[in-house]
Amino acid sequence: MRLIFIGPPGVGKGTQSALFASRMGIFTLSSGEIFRKEIEAQTDLGRLAQSYIRHGDLVPNGVTIEMMAKRLREPEVRKKGFILDGFPRTIRQAEALEEILTELDMPLESVVSLEVDVQLIVDRLKDRLGCTKCGENYNSKSKPPTRDGFCDKCNSPLMVRSDDQPDAIRNRLESFRAETAPVVDFYENLGLLRRVDSSRDPEQVYQEILKSIQ
Ligand code: AP5
Ligand code: MG
């Protein structure tokens, strides 16, 4: 499988990627997760990324493309296929991705656009918690951990993401409208786009995605 999950912040890209990874063994590459690991490890890339991410702004195209190209070239990704979560997010990134996948002879199969109302996005992000170690996603309302404040999978503490603050959420929504919505049109024009309603519960959304890509 070679898929992209695209959509605004909080729509469920990470939740659905995790379901596909655990049930189908597909490799998922989340640009946001990779940046968060770099931030945690206090690398130069992490410091640079953090200066954008905490305000909800996009990290510059050059470093983002380079980082994702490196991952896509890894033998395991080439063997297993991939789901890209959060990349590409600008037309420049989408064009660069086309070049990389052509070079690797790995054409995209489908681009799944996850879609919900803005109000639902704000509600979901307000209650989101993430694991500081393994990145597993929770939601204090819709998917609470078994033990308050700790990850079910690895027992590490859960945290609120630094960009899940009202100002940063506003900026992320604006970046999506200005920079990423044109990428959705780009894939629609290539005939690859599948639109999926992501307002239902995660299992139903998962089944809808499966149907849409068959
Ligand atoms: P990134 O990590 O990609 O964040 P995002 O796009 O803002 O998306 P989120 O991770 O917030 O939401 P999601 O769609 O994964 O939803 P989730 O499944 O968590 O990027 C972060 C930042 O990094 C960007 O702002 C940017 O600065 C930078 N960046 C990343 N990629 C970049 C790029 N390519 N170029 C430049 N900069 C880049 O779900 C959200 C919540 O809702 C959770 O609590 C979950 O449990 C809950 N939920 C999910 N689905 C459902 C459901 N069906 N029903 C009920 N609750 C649900
Ligand atoms: Mg995510």
Side-chain angles (χ1 to χ4, degrees):
M1 247 180 218
R2 293 184 297 274
L3 304 176
I4 292 175
F5 287 174
I6 196 166
V11 76
K13 303 181 295 294
T15 300
Q16 293 301 324
S17 311
L19 284 177
F20 273 77
S22 68
R23 293 180 185 182
M24 297 193 159
I26 303 173
F27 224 82
T28 64
L29 287 172
S30 159
S31 41
E33 279 302 316
I34 301 172
F35 283 136
R36 282 186 284 280
K37 292 216 168 98
E38 296 283 338
I39 293 169
E40 180 94 15
Q42 300 187 357
T43 64
D44 288 346
L45 175 58
R47 272 186 283 273
L48 175 78
Q50 175 67 334
S51 66
Y52 293 90
I53 290 177
R54 67 161 166 252
H55 302 296
D57 296 329
L58 293 184
V59 179
N61 283 326
V63 286
T64 305
I65 292 167
E66 197 185 325
M67 173 180 92
M68 297 304 285
K70 197 170 135 204
R71 304 290 170 123
L72 283 162
R73 291 197 175 100
E74 285 172 6
E76 202 173 1
V77 178
R78 300 185 64 175
K79 202 167 94 196
K80 285 189 174 173
F82 56 80
I83 293 175
L84 293 176
D85 155 12
F87 179 86
R89 255 173 153 97
T90 63
I91 291 290
R92 175 73 199 92
Q93 292 179 14
E95 289 169 349
L97 178 65
E98 286 293 295
E99 282 168 30
I100 297 160
L101 295 181
T102 303
E103 170 206 315
L104 296 172
D105 196 20
M106 294 199 299
L108 281 173
E109 290 166 6
S110 302
V111 176
V112 178
S113 167
L114 296 173
E115 306 185 349
V116 296
D117 281 354
V118 171
Q119 190 49 50
L120 193 54
I121 288 174
V122 175
D123 286 349
R124 283 181 183 177
L125 292 180
K126 172 168 70 57
D127 299 320
R128 172 167 60 189
L129 295 166
C131 176
T132 46
K133 190 162 174 216
C134 72
E136 179 74 4
N137 247 323
Y138 295 88
N139 188 289
S140 53
K141 295 243 171 69
S142 62
K143 191 192 165 195
T146 311
R147 183 158 76 101
D148 228 13
F150 293 90
C151 181
D152 292 351
K153 282 199 172 160
C154 70
N155 228 8
S156 303
L158 302 180
M159 56 146 195
V160 173
R161 252 168 61 176
S162 68
D163 57 347
D164 278 349
Q165 306 298 334
D167 283 351
I169 292 175
R170 257 193 301 279
N171 272 349
R172 285 155 67 201
L173 287 168
E174 176 52 24
S175 295
F176 179 79
R177 193 195 62 76
E179 305 268 6
T180 312
V183 179
V184 175
D185 298 339
F186 173 94
Y187 288 117
E188 181 139 56
N189 290 333
L190 291 180
L192 290 173
L193 197 74
R194 312 283 177 260
R195 292 182 190 274
V196 171
D197 174 6
S198 189
S199 62
R200 291 186 290 168
D201 73 60
E203 183 59 37
Q204 284 176 306
V205 177
Y206 177 80
Q207 296 300 337
E208 281 301 312
I209 296 176
L210 273 186
K211 243 193 274 167
S212 80
I213 59 177
Q214 266 156 19

